[in-house]
Amino acid sequence: MSIVRKPATTSSTIRSPADVDSPRRRPGNPLDGDGPAIKNFRPDAEQAHMEVARDPGASVPAVPAVTITPLLSAGILPVRPEVKTLEHYLLKPPEKLAEANAQGFRVVKGRLYVDIAPGKIAQVRRDRTSGEYRATLLSELEPSGPVLFFEPQSKTWKLERDRIHTGKDDVFELGLDAGTTLVARGLRQFPAEQAAIIRSELRVVQSTFSDASRAIALKYQEADAVYESYFGTDHQSVSPRFSECVSRGLAVSKEYQGFWGDDKFLGVDTAGNHLAWMYKGDFHGRVFINRKYLRAGALSLTLGHEMLHTNRIDRFAAIGPNASDYFYLGVEARAFLTSEPLTVYDVPERGVSEVIMRGGLTAEYLNVFMNDHSEFLSGVSHYLGMRDVPDLQTAVDLFNANPQMRAHMAANNADSIICATKSMQELHRSKTEYAWLDSLIEDL
């Protein structure tokens, strides 16, 4: 997992691993052999027809006369106008009302109505800050009502989700590093502005996987160069695996934005420099996010990386690629490779990958990012059919000597996959941009 991706810098080749304070070094592991897979809306002016049926005993403040244009026959349930609870927003549904769609919305001339209970509906709008749906009055420019959540089983919307936070106080939550405090379970417990950033970054992740998927399908001639940068000269043998990872990553990224996805994000306060991480063995697929580094534009690549570690996740239909962390692509440690990257790319990690895929990996480079090299060692051993590899240096030598092994391990390495995905997105966007410019020239 990438944590805080630094811009490319020039490094001296005489530095030692101890001189590099890598933001991708692993924190402590709560379980032996299963550490965190990380690196050391405005409304229209029309009014739905409503017969006001207020409680005659209620105290009603004087209001100016208004003109009501009929659309649908509905009646406001008896309420106390001064009480800003869900009751204040309830409506009696008219005889004829649009059917609810798969998301539980009844759409009437661009307005959204939801079923609260039998014979009770409410209008909702999306809160532009938090992204959540709130009950609203037709007169409001911004929704003022409580947050509502769709319950798929009953097809109704409720004040609270019928759920239990899965995995609460389990070994992964209790095994956080000393000095790390869990402060938010689910996006609803994050401050609104932080939850909005996470949701925005999730959309960026989905866009990255989606654009890369289009690039793969269109078979751009330039794609071979991208593949060779990340998977070496034997890239053709692993291209189906990369395509599958992108497809699975896209599906998972959509699920993390769905109903069950909100509870998969946990906020922590820590002195560490890790941006986010997850535990590969966590069936709940939770992502721990360090709020200290939570800002727009800094999280998407890390989230994409983490999603690639997933396999089956409870309540998700998608199955992740189950990628490993054999090695990381860190520009902050490129001086520890056997040669400097020769080409500078829009995605700087691509140049680092090129050196590694040419057999330029070193044990010193690996030591910058982690102390535990068990995944790399097991990856080499598994590929060669060996019981184990005696030491890290031997494993590195074997890796550098075998291009087929390098291709295979890179195609199962989360950092290689997410950075290759990003490069494919850049390729797709450049091709579509040039095509648009060409069309403008032709029109002239």
Side-chain angles (χ1 to χ4, degrees), residues 41 43-44 48 50 89 91 97-99 101 103-116 121-127 132-138 148 157:
F41 177 139
D44 60 38
M50 300 177 183
Y89 300 86
L91 304 170
L97 187 63
E99 291 291 329
N101 61 23
Q103 290 74 45
F105 294 119
R106 296 179 182 270
V107 184
V108 181
K109 293 196 173 183
R111 293 187 291 272
L112 303 178
Y113 295 87
V114 299
D115 295 317
I116 303 301
I121 63 173
Q123 184 181 354
V124 297
R125 289 198 190 101
R126 193 167 189 170
D127 189 303
E132 297 171 315
Y133 285 92
R134 293 179 175 273
T136 188
L137 301 175
L138 187 65
L148 297 173
W157 289 65

Side-chain angles (χ1 to χ4, degrees), residues 350-382:
R350 178 176 173 181
V352 175
S353 179
E354 280 189 347
V355 175
I356 294 175
M357 287 297 102
R358 292 170 183 165
L361 184 64
T362 67
E364 291 77 16
Y365 176 88
L366 293 176
N367 284 329
V368 172
F369 302 103
M370 65 187 79
N371 297 317
D372 179 7
H373 302 291
S374 57
E375 283 200 81
F376 181 79
L377 292 169
S378 64
V380 172
S381 299
H382 182 267

Side-chain angles (χ1 to χ4, degrees), residues 31 196 247 323 334:
L31 290 176
S247 178
R334 62 187 182 182

Side-chain angles (χ1 to χ4, degrees), residues 127-364:
D127 189 303
R128 292 187 294 182
T129 300
S130 68
E132 297 171 315
Y133 285 92
R134 293 179 175 273
T136 188
L137 301 175
L138 187 65
S139 59
E140 296 177 330
L141 292 176
E142 296 294 338
S144 64
V147 176
L148 297 173
F149 300 97
F150 182 52
E151 208 287 307
Q153 286 71 37
S154 66
K155 305 297 184 182
T156 59
W157 289 65
K158 300 183 178 183
L159 284 170
E160 297 292 338
R161 298 172 189 259
D162 290 340
R163 66 174 185 246
I164 298 175
H165 181 85
T166 53
K168 181 178 180 180
D169 292 331
D170 64 0
V171 65
F172 300 110
E173 294 189 1
L174 296 177
L176 295 172
D177 280 351
T180 298
T181 306
L182 182 61
V183 296
R185 284 192 180 97
L187 291 182
R188 292 181 64 200
Q189 294 188 10
F190 279 82
E193 63 275 12
Q194 293 184 347
I197 290 174
I198 295 172
R199 290 189 174 97
S200 176
E201 294 294 287
L202 283 170
R203 291 191 292 269
V204 174
V205 176
Q206 179 183 339
S207 175
T208 302
F209 282 119
S210 180
D211 287 347
S213 181
R214 292 189 182 98
I216 293 171
L218 291 170
K219 298 180 180 180
Y220 295 129
Q221 183 177 355
E222 297 87 347
D224 279 348
V226 175
Y227 295 149
E228 184 164 352
S229 293
Y230 290 102
F231 310 113
T233 55
D234 206 44
H235 61 85
Q236 291 184 346
S237 66
V238 298
S239 60
R241 164 63 180 172
F242 173 63
S243 178
E244 178 188 34
C245 288
V246 172
S247 178
R248 288 175 180 255
L250 176 58
V252 171
S253 69
K254 292 178 179 178
E255 293 243 38
Y256 270 104
Q257 298 175 75
F259 178 76
W260 299 114
D262 277 11
D263 286 342
K264 304 297 187 183
F265 297 94
L266 281 63
V268 298
D269 287 341
T270 178
N273 63 348
H274 312 95
L275 175 55
W277 67 90
M278 75 182 304
Y279 297 91
K280 190 175 180 182
D282 180 11
F283 177 57
H284 306 304
R286 290 162 294 182
V287 181
F288 294 79
I289 297 178
N290 183 354
R291 300 194 308 164
K292 180 171 66 175
Y293 293 116
L294 184 51
R295 63 184 185 275
L299 189 60
S300 60
L301 204 61
T302 294
L303 290 179
H305 177 117
E306 296 310 317
M307 292 173 187
L308 292 170
H309 287 309
T310 60
N311 190 6
R312 290 190 177 273
I313 303 175
D314 68 321
R315 296 172 175 168
F316 276 22
I319 300 175
N322 195 31
S324 298
D325 275 329
Y326 294 134
F327 55 88
Y328 304 107
L329 304 179
V331 295
E332 68 271 25
R334 62 187 182 182
F336 297 104
L337 299 172
T338 57
S339 64
E340 285 284 318
L342 302 179
T343 308
V344 178
Y345 296 100
D346 290 340
V347 179
E349 289 84 359
R350 178 176 173 181
V352 175
S353 179
E354 280 189 347
V355 175
I356 294 175
M357 287 297 102
R358 292 170 183 165
L361 184 64
T362 67
E364 291 77 16

Side-chain angles (χ1 to χ4, degrees), residues 13-47:
T13 56
I14 62 173
R15 297 165 67 194
S16 68
D19 294 326
V20 179
D21 180 19
S22 173
R24 296 136 76 101
R25 185 175 288 276
R26 294 176 179 268
N29 300 339
L31 290 176
D32 290 337
D34 185 34
I38 69 173
K39 294 185 232 185
N40 268 335
F41 177 139
R42 168 177 175 145
D44 60 38
E46 294 187 84
Q47 165 72 36

